[in-house]
Amino acid sequence: MSFFTLLELKKKALRIQKKYKIQLLSVIKGRVRLSSPYWKDNDLLLDDLKNYLETINEIKSVHTTPLIGTLTIQYSVPEDFPLDRVLEIEKTVDAIHRQRGVLNE
């Protein structure tokens, strides 16, 4: 993955964090734990996100905790993961949030 692409991914990740009010609770190689106030006590939204994320080959598992609004994702993303694929995933995640009444602006 080129340096320019890494910068694009970092910029995109920061925008996504802000849009969905995501906090990174913990990050280690191959695992990330995220929280968002949109996810707290929102079982349907978390189930939809989990079901979608589990269809992505690079994601090994997804665990949700609706009571506190967290997603724990185990993954293995290759270095040459295409930016276009990241954009496609973001689009679908956005559609899921909107379908469940979040992000209607």
Side-chain angles (χ1 to χ4, degrees), residues 13-31:
L14 291 173
R15 191 175 73 72
I16 291 168
Q17 277 182 274
K18 184 177 179 183
K19 183 176 187 177
Y20 301 107
K21 299 180 182 179
I22 294 172
Q23 290 184 320
L24 295 170
L25 300 178
S26 67
V27 180
I28 58 173
K29 185 176 180 175
R31 181 182 172 276

Side-chain angles (χ1 to χ4, degrees), residues 46-62 73-75 81 85 88-90 92-93 96:
L46 282 173
D47 285 346
D48 288 348
L49 288 170
K50 178 181 180 179
N51 290 337
Y52 168 66
L53 292 171
E54 289 178 333
T55 68
I56 299 169
N57 292 335
E58 293 78 12
I59 294 180
K60 297 176 182 178
S61 69
V62 179
I73 303 169
Q74 299 224 0
Y75 61 91
F81 195 72
R85 183 73 174 117
E88 177 186 321
I89 291 168
E90 182 197 1
T92 303
V93 167
I96 291 169

